[in-house]
Amino acid sequence: MLKTILAGLRARTARLVLSSIAIALGVAFVTGTLVLGDAVEAQTRDNFARSARNVDAAVHLADNSDNTVMRDGIPADVLQKVRSTQGVAGADSREYASAALLGSDGKARNAAVQPLPSTEKLRDFNLKEGKFPAKADEAAIDVKTAQIAKLKVGDKLKLLDKDNVEHSFSIVGTYQQGASSMSMSGSDHVVVSPEGLRTIVPDQRIYEIVAVAAPGVSQQQLVDNIGKAIGSGYKVQTGEQLTQETLAQVGDAAGEIKTFLLAFAAISLIVAGMVIYNTFTILVAQRTRELALLRCVGAERGQVFRSVLAEALFMGLVASVLGILGGLGVSAGLQALVGTVGGPSGDDVQIRLPISWVTIAAGFGVGVLVTVLSAVLPARRATKVAPVAALRSQPDSHDDVARTGKVRIIVASLIALIGAAGVYFGLQQEKEEPAMFITGGAVMVLLLAVLLVGPLYVPLVNRLFGKALRGVPAKLASANAGRNPKRTAATTAALMIGVTIVAMVTVVAGSGRETMNQQVDKRFPADYEVSSNVWNQPLTQKFADELSKVRNVSQIAPELSAYGESDKLKYGDVTGYPADAIGSLVRPELAGGTLTGLKDNEIILREKEAKEAGLSIGSSLKISDKEFKVVALIKDNSYGAGIVTLPAAQSILKDNAPKGYQKLLVKLAPGTDIAVARADLERVIATSPVAVLNSAAETKAELNSQIDQVLLFIWALVGLALIIALFGIANTLTLSVLERTRESALLRALGLTRGQLRQMLVVESILMALIGAVVGVLLGAGFGWLLVQAISNAEFQISFAIPFGQIGVMLGLAVIAAVIAAALPARRAARNSVVAGMAEA
Amino acid sequence: MSALVSEVGTRTAAAAHNLVKVYGKGDTAVRALDGINVAFEAGRFTAIMGPSGSGKSTLMHCLAGLDTVDGGSIHIGQTEITKLNDKDLTKLRRDRVGFVFQAFNLLPTLTAQQNILLGLELAGRKPDQQWFDTIVNVLGLRDRLHHRPTELSGGQQQRVACARALVARPEVIFADEPTGNLDSRSGAEVLDFLRMSVRKLGQTVIMVTHDPVAASYADRVVLLADGRLAGEIHQPTTESVVNALTHLGA
């Protein structure tokens, strides 16, 4: 029997190669996604663990320390004690200061300044260029900061301290920092010597002391020694504990992206599984006669069955190995893509290819299991038929084109019911996240139900499209696409899944974008916004006065955020505006009461906060011992707990808070030329190092570009699934062409030209692609609508919008890809000689 | 040559001149057709017979423009089809030739009616409704028109194929073992119909067969052996055909 199997494998090389490519592609996608997920996780872990690298012992303040101790940090003499502890080879403090960094354009940006650890092993940055600062007037800067602020080694680095005093350093090196809460916040980053740091911030606030052990001293010993040396009030951990703790914090951040990627891996698994299943079903169905012949000459049913399985196993194994290798390539490519799109760590991305046993198992699982399973069903069918009957059977005759069974319909209905119940439950959710996840999961269940009944509606859609077709080849194509509903449904299903998801994500993102744009328009009635680039350096009253003197400026409304303790509210953060700006330049969405004419002892409260605190219009509350009366409720969440007048906000403000405004809203006189006004404003703005000009249009552009980046990434991932699906179409077509050799020959004999034969196959391909794509778009839009409904709630309304342009592009791409998919099979079919074709059994 | 064409053109539906067809190369080359000269008269029913490997099917394929030749020429009517390119050959088959094959004559995706009209549709021609009705009635296919091939018996399938060949009123109908897959009764029906289409409707039919009974329906039998012409019988009977074949050593 083994001989027969091997001979069979040799004889059908072309078909097997095709099927193997389908399997390998599927495996590649699954492993690629998994490897990418692991790589992202490893990358993140590595980045985060960098702050704990080489650390043998770490000292923090005890968790139960009181507020004053927390505020002042670890006293400086503790560092001395640690350094002189027995077994410590070196120790350093970790602290940072905030300062404003002046870029080469003269604009200030927030920057975190850290002292350089004196112990080389404890530096949690990698030097890229030059050297680390050694003297008080030297500094090294983060590579990304250097890029953004356009600074390089040899330049002067200017930092502004809290009182706007300028400090100058010479840049002696650049470095790459590990991911940390600081680098992830996107703020810029520089390193100076400990002495240098003191010139900017005189007070130390040490949050961590890290130490390395002398040779032969264990981490635990070191921790014990240090604990004894510094006394109580501190938490001393081993380096290992610190690493674990840091990673536990990271877990959440890295876990999110991993979940996201796993979702795609699952999608890819399904898509790949469908393509493999379909390919193998066709393959075995075509061999029904051959298998029957084997039976006729004396092979037992079991032998025939086993031979098919053995063949599938062999193919699955070979293709899986190729696929796993290909998957590594896919992952590398995606990482390169993420690198160019600019992920959280920009050029810090290095391509990693971690291979875990889960990945290998998933790869082989998909490749071998799905292949063998795909072979089992048709092989069972093939061996069940009486050998003689099978010998006589024609492809696509009654037996293999069995109508969709009742069982299938019942199962699909049940699944659909579960999905619908899930959607209903999801829609009831108040909170955005559970609503999104529950509804998202439920629509995937619905998608499964829709896919199951594919053989029912795919022929209908095909007939609908077929009606629009003219000409004999096109009509024949439509008939061909309709001849085996199960096969066509399975072929189109793979594409349908991909398109549905892309369409859904695009619709949700498009709706989100639309909503944001509307919100931006609504929330920014001001023509321009001038804000401070550095959070602890607000815009001064003098600057506001100067700005109001610019010609064509009709109104300036300063914004002041203040934080105080409240007796009733959980958070007493309010935003203050001049009373005459509220209702005109500041226009939140009202839920009750009136906005205009706000007095200094009145507050406009956010509806949600009011509800939680049991307050309503007319009730009163205290913030920082000031009494306020609630006069209106608003829905927006961008003003903190509420809005008060400017004087009220100033009275809440703590004494040590920086004096000035976070933002100035600028209203131009009606009919002013925006471009001229902008030039005028910029002249004043240039006088302040921290002020930047924003307009609603620019805010919109910025938000849109962020959404587009996410979309691009999703499109790239799903694009891979689509490629596999289109390969599935090509595969089905090629196998169909082989199967229909005699038919094609007959058509040629009857007068179908080569061109018409090619045209027939291209149209068939386009039909299949369009069925998948159109149904996918419709489903995706529907699911997207459900998701939008689910995410929307009383406070956060998303308006449903379909990005027709992007969806049009997608349909266009599907047609183009279909033409490409049909190219090879069509060539093959047209090349065949008529006589040879007629002779083929 | 030109004399031959004009002389042939008036009375001949198809003709082969010094026809050579070689399969394979070098030592393994087989001359399937080795210099055949034969003409088929219009309005007559001719059978091509010969033992297995005599080249009868190859001759038919070449005559019908389904296969290329390695030497000599073939005419359908006045057209030398050996000079045509693939596209023109396809057109010729579509417009001037009809086929009935041994098996697998019909497209499984089309109904009987669609199959019958397929050739005309490919040519973009309107079917002559009266002619279509005549054929369908004669062949007894009226109540089978909307069935698909898998729902038809072998004999019915072959009659649909005949109807398709006839509906376009081609210059020649080529039938390749049309009764090969049928029981004797269905076979007789099909052969009766082919003979009737020649006698009453003035069609030209060239049929390849190895069955002496089938050949006896023809007006003339052309005998082939080893790729050469090996005689002919006019007004054949089953006995005369069996006799002639026995002499050929089949």
Side-chain angles (χ1 to χ4, degrees):
Chain A
M1 213 59 199
L2 183 68
K3 251 188 212 160
T4 326
I5 295 168
L6 287 178
L9 283 174
R10 266 200 302 277
R12 288 185 307 277
T13 319
R15 293 174 200 211
L16 293 181
V17 164
L18 267 175
S19 324
S20 303
I21 295 175
I23 301 169
L25 266 178
V27 173
F29 190 25
V30 174
T31 45
T33 319
L34 285 174
V35 168
L36 183 65
D38 287 344
V40 169
E41 203 182 13
Q43 164 100 28
T44 325
R45 276 171 174 264
D46 189 55
N47 269 337
F48 276 80
R50 207 179 282 177
S51 63
R53 104 179 143 191
N54 296 331
V55 172
D56 288 319
V59 178
H60 290 100
L61 285 172
D63 291 334
N64 55 4
S65 310
D66 68 39
N67 282 338
T68 16
V69 175
M70 277 294 189
R71 199 189 59 215
D72 296 337
I74 304 171
D77 61 317
V78 175
L79 178 60
Q80 292 315 316
K81 283 185 195 157
V82 172
R83 278 188 174 149
S84 53
T85 304
Q86 200 196 353
V88 171
D92 273 289
S93 62
R94 287 203 173 143
E95 62 180 305
Y96 72 91
S98 275
L101 180 153
L102 285 182
S104 59
D105 55 355
K107 280 292 163 198
R109 320 171 49 80
N110 266 330
V113 187
Q114 277 192 282
L116 182 77
S118 55
T119 314
E120 212 166 301
K121 280 179 91 177
L122 290 173
R123 291 173 185 167
D124 49 344
F125 341 95
N126 297 345
L127 192 67
K128 286 283 277 188
E129 208 187 331
K131 60 184 182 80
F132 279 120
K135 298 188 206 124
D137 64 346
E138 287 179 346
I141 63 173
D142 172 56
V143 279
K144 215 166 62 173
T145 302
Q147 211 179 0
I148 292 169
K150 298 196 179 64
L151 292 170
K152 57 183 187 301
V153 174
D155 285 354
K156 282 275 171 239
L157 173 73
K158 288 175 186 150
L159 296 175
L160 302 180
D161 67 18
K162 216 169 109 188
D163 305 315
N164 265 344
V165 181
E166 197 175 294
H167 301 268
S168 186
F169 297 86
S170 35
I171 300 172
V172 294
T174 61
Y175 62 90
Q176 210 158 49
Q177 60 178 326
S180 64
S181 50
M182 253 171 284
S183 72
M184 295 297 258
S185 75
S187 102
D188 293 296
H189 199 260
V190 300
V191 167
V192 295
S193 63
E195 307 82 60
L197 185 67
R198 291 286 82 78
T199 64
I200 312 170
V201 274
D203 307 319
Q204 260 183 323
R205 192 202 162 277
I206 300 170
Y207 64 90
E208 185 182 41
I209 292 171
V210 286
V212 259
V217 179
S218 76
Q219 288 194 347
Q220 194 53 53
Q221 274 173 315
L222 192 71
V223 166
D224 293 343
N225 292 351
I226 293 174
K228 262 176 243 151
I230 60 176
S232 64
Y234 302 98
K235 182 171 85 175
V236 188
Q237 288 170 294
T238 62
E240 187 51 39
Q241 283 165 342
L242 179 69
T243 310
Q244 288 311 322
E245 198 182 275
T246 323
L247 289 183
Q249 287 163 8
V250 184
D252 297 340
E256 253 168 53
I257 195 157
K258 180 117 193 213
T259 313
F260 174 75
L261 285 170
L262 271 178
F264 276 97
I267 295 165
S268 66
L269 205 96
I270 296 166
V271 171
M274 299 220 77
V275 171
I276 296 172
Y277 173 75
N278 205 28
T279 305
F280 230 86
T281 309
I282 300 172
L283 208 66
V284 177
Q286 285 181 347
R287 290 179 54 206
T288 307
R289 297 172 79 163
E290 189 193 317
L291 298 178
L293 186 66
L294 276 175
R295 294 282 320 277
C296 284
V297 300
E300 278 167 40
R301 183 174 292 179
Q303 279 178 309
V304 171
F305 191 68
R306 279 196 298 277
S307 81
V308 174
L309 285 198
E311 188 182 305
L313 193 71
F314 176 77
M315 266 175 69
L317 279 173
V318 173
S320 297
V321 172
L322 290 177
I324 288 170
L325 292 178
L328 295 178
V330 168
S331 171
L334 274 177
Q335 287 180 53
L337 179 83
V338 177
T340 47
V341 172
S345 35
D347 57 351
D348 207 18
V349 170
Q350 65 191 97
I351 290 169
R352 289 157 199 272
L353 299 172
I355 303 167
S356 71
W357 65 267
V358 176
T359 308
I360 302 284
F364 277 106
V366 171
V368 180
L369 235 91
V370 175
T371 308
V372 171
L373 281 181
S374 309
V376 165
L377 296 177
R380 254 173 61 98
R381 231 177 292 142
T383 49
K384 255 189 189 165
V385 186
V388 178
L391 269 180
R392 270 205 302 270
S393 86
Q394 269 189 12
D396 298 321
S397 66
H398 269 320
D399 315 337
D400 5 315
V401 195
R403 299 276 153 210
T404 315
K406 281 202 181 103
V407 180
R408 188 189 274 251
I409 296 175
I410 292 168
V411 170
S413 307
L414 283 177
I415 294 176
L417 268 177
I418 296 171
V423 168
Y424 180 77
F425 184 61
L427 287 175
Q428 301 303 310
Q429 296 297 309
E430 264 300 307
K431 290 212 167 98
E432 287 131 33
E433 280 208 351
M436 189 172 77
F437 283 119
I438 294 171
T439 314
V443 295
M444 288 300 115
V445 174
L446 278 181
L447 176 62
L448 178 69
V450 173
L451 290 177
L452 266 178
V453 290
L456 279 185
Y457 62 79
V458 163
L460 291 179
V461 180
N462 176 46
R463 233 168 288 155
L464 206 70
F465 285 156
K467 282 218 175 92
L469 292 172
R470 292 286 166 268
V472 183
K475 286 204 172 125
L476 287 172
S478 173
N480 279 336
R483 72 199 297 171
N484 189 338
K486 271 188 190 162
R487 180 186 296 184
T488 309
T491 307
T492 53
L495 187 70
M496 214 178 279
I497 295 173
V499 172
T500 301
I501 287 159
V502 173
M504 186 173 80
V505 172
T506 310
V507 163
V508 171
S511 301
R513 178 208 311 259
E514 189 61 29
T515 307
M516 270 207 286
N517 287 347
Q518 287 169 2
Q519 296 269 326
V520 168
D521 285 340
K522 205 165 62 185
R523 281 188 196 161
F524 299 100
D527 294 301
Y528 284 105
E529 243 185 52
V530 181
S531 57
S532 167
N533 223 353
V534 181
W535 64 271
N536 59 359
Q537 301 214 8
L539 303 168
T540 59
Q541 182 63 48
K542 188 169 155 272
F543 180 74
D545 292 343
E546 263 165 44
L547 210 58
S548 65
K549 276 185 250 159
V550 172
R551 73 180 157 154
N552 290 328
V553 169
S554 72
Q555 193 183 3
I556 295 274
E559 175 189 304
L560 180 68
S561 301
Y563 180 86
E565 265 101 61
S566 169
D567 55 344
K568 290 183 180 147
L569 298 175
K570 198 165 159 205
Y571 302 106
D573 56 331
V574 291
T575 313
Y577 295 101
D580 59 349
I582 299 167
S584 58
L585 276 181
V586 180
R587 228 185 294 161
E589 198 182 336
L590 203 61
T594 43
L595 293 175
T596 45
L598 191 71
K599 299 197 182 68
D600 290 349
N601 59 351
E602 292 174 343
I603 185 168
I604 298 165
L605 210 57
R606 189 180 169 204
E607 196 182 24
K608 188 177 165 220
E609 307 279 338
K611 237 183 233 165
E612 280 169 14
L615 298 168
S616 57
I617 295 177
S619 27
S620 59
L621 63 126
K622 275 185 186 169
I623 298 176
S624 295
D625 300 328
K626 296 230 174 308
E627 183 100 18
F628 289 96
K629 196 174 123 210
V630 180
V631 293
L633 296 177
I634 54 169
K635 288 181 172 171
D636 296 58
N637 57 4
S638 43
Y639 303 97
I643 299 173
V644 296
T645 60
L646 202 54
Q650 266 152 351
S651 68
I652 293 170
L653 213 58
K654 298 215 170 74
D655 294 337
N656 60 352
K659 294 276 177 294
Y661 310 113
Q662 277 79 32
K663 229 184 242 174
L664 299 169
L665 306 177
V666 180
K667 177 92 183 150
L668 300 175
T672 310
D673 183 344
I674 296 279
V676 174
R678 188 181 180 100
D680 289 340
L681 285 170
E682 271 176 349
R683 266 192 292 280
V684 178
I685 283 160
T687 62
S688 158
V690 295
V692 282
L693 187 64
N694 294 316
S695 71
E698 282 154 6
T699 311
K700 264 195 264 183
E702 197 182 315
L703 289 172
N704 283 343
S705 79
Q706 282 170 11
I707 294 183
D708 285 341
Q709 267 186 13
V710 175
L711 263 186
L712 182 72
F713 188 64
I714 293 174
W715 275 56
L717 277 173
V718 182
L720 277 173
L722 292 184
I723 289 173
I724 295 176
L726 286 165
F727 188 85
I729 291 184
N731 217 4
T732 304
L733 263 188
T734 308
L735 293 170
S736 297
V737 162
L738 288 168
E739 187 173 87
R740 296 189 216 138
T741 311
R742 293 181 76 177
E743 247 175 271
S744 304
L746 178 68
L747 280 168
R748 293 271 294 124
L750 292 180
L752 195 76
T753 61
R754 281 210 170 113
Q756 285 176 314
L757 188 65
R758 275 196 290 264
Q759 191 193 334
M760 182 180 91
L761 285 164
V762 169
V763 173
E764 190 179 342
S765 175
I766 293 177
L767 270 175
M768 286 200 284
L770 273 186
I771 291 172
V774 168
V775 176
V777 163
L778 291 178
L779 283 178
F783 291 168
W785 181 79
L786 284 176
L787 271 179
V788 164
Q789 293 306 311
I791 300 169
S792 295
N793 52 33
E795 263 179 72
F796 182 60
Q797 281 290 338
I798 296 188
S799 44
F800 176 66
I802 296 179
F804 287 102
Q806 282 166 323
I807 285 179
V809 167
M810 205 151 65
L811 289 180
L813 284 177
V815 170
I816 294 168
V819 173
I820 296 169
L824 271 179
R827 227 179 79 99
R828 197 188 173 108
R831 216 178 36 197
N832 257 352
S833 106
V834 179
V835 176
M838 294 298 296
E840 185 138 316
Chain B
M1 188 68 196
S2 63
L4 180 74
V5 169
S6 63
E7 185 199 11
V8 166
T10 49
R11 311 169 36 236
T12 308
H17 184 70
N18 284 336
L19 191 59
V20 176
K21 174 79 188 173
V22 183
Y23 287 117
K25 269 185 189 159
D27 293 344
T28 57
V30 174
R31 289 175 87 82
L33 298 177
D34 195 3
I36 288 191
N37 286 292
V38 65
F40 299 90
E41 290 154 285
R44 300 205 50 186
F45 187 177
T46 312
I48 303 174
M49 289 207 75
S52 289
S54 60
K56 57 185 189 298
S57 282
T58 308
L59 174 62
M60 198 212 82
H61 290 150
C62 291
L63 284 171
L66 290 172
D67 211 346
T68 53
V69 302
D70 296 304
S73 64
I74 293 166
H75 285 79
I76 295 279
Q78 301 201 22
T79 313
E80 185 178 348
I81 68 165
T82 33
K83 280 188 177 161
L84 298 179
N85 63 21
D86 182 73
K87 198 164 183 185
D88 289 332
L89 258 184
T90 307
K91 268 200 195 136
L92 176 123
R93 287 200 299 265
R94 197 174 73 193
D95 299 336
R96 295 169 61 186
V97 176
F99 288 102
V100 181
F101 296 106
Q102 177 177 4
F104 208 80
N105 262 302
L106 308 176
L107 288 186
T109 49
L110 304 182
T111 62
Q113 177 165 0
Q114 287 169 328
N115 263 297
I116 293 171
L117 296 175
L118 180 63
L120 287 177
E121 280 209 33
L122 282 171
R125 279 157 63 188
K126 275 251 166 0
D128 174 344
Q129 191 59 46
Q130 222 181 334
W131 180 232
F132 174 82
D133 287 337
T134 309
I135 296 169
V136 167
N137 289 336
V138 168
L139 285 166
L141 289 170
R142 180 57 66 190
D143 56 343
R144 294 274 153 207
L145 283 179
H146 299 292
H147 289 74
R148 285 182 200 276
T150 46
E151 296 158 344
L152 300 174
S153 72
Q156 285 167 338
Q157 287 188 26
Q158 235 25 14
R159 279 187 271 151
V160 172
C162 290
R164 183 191 56 212
L166 271 172
V167 77
R169 298 188 214 254
E171 288 175 31
V172 196
I173 292 175
F174 290 99
D176 187 359
E177 305 266 17
T179 58
N181 270 14
L182 300 182
D183 59 80
S184 56
R185 200 193 132 116
S186 308
E189 273 174 23
V190 168
L191 288 165
D192 265 335
F193 178 74
L194 286 177
R195 185 163 63 185
M196 193 234 13
S197 72
V198 173
R199 301 263 161 92
K200 295 213 175 130
L201 309 175
Q203 276 295 336
T204 306
V205 176
I206 300 172
M207 172 176 76
V208 169
T209 184
H210 63 268
D211 175 11
V213 178
S216 70
Y217 282 77
D219 299 321
R220 169 191 172 211
V221 173
V222 174
L223 293 163
L224 241 61
D226 297 330
R228 291 166 185 275
L229 224 52
E232 55 183 299
I233 309 165
H234 289 271
Q235 308 306 328
T237 61
T238 309
E239 292 73 33
S240 63
V241 174
V242 169
N243 256 333
L245 284 175
T246 317
H247 286 289
L248 286 177

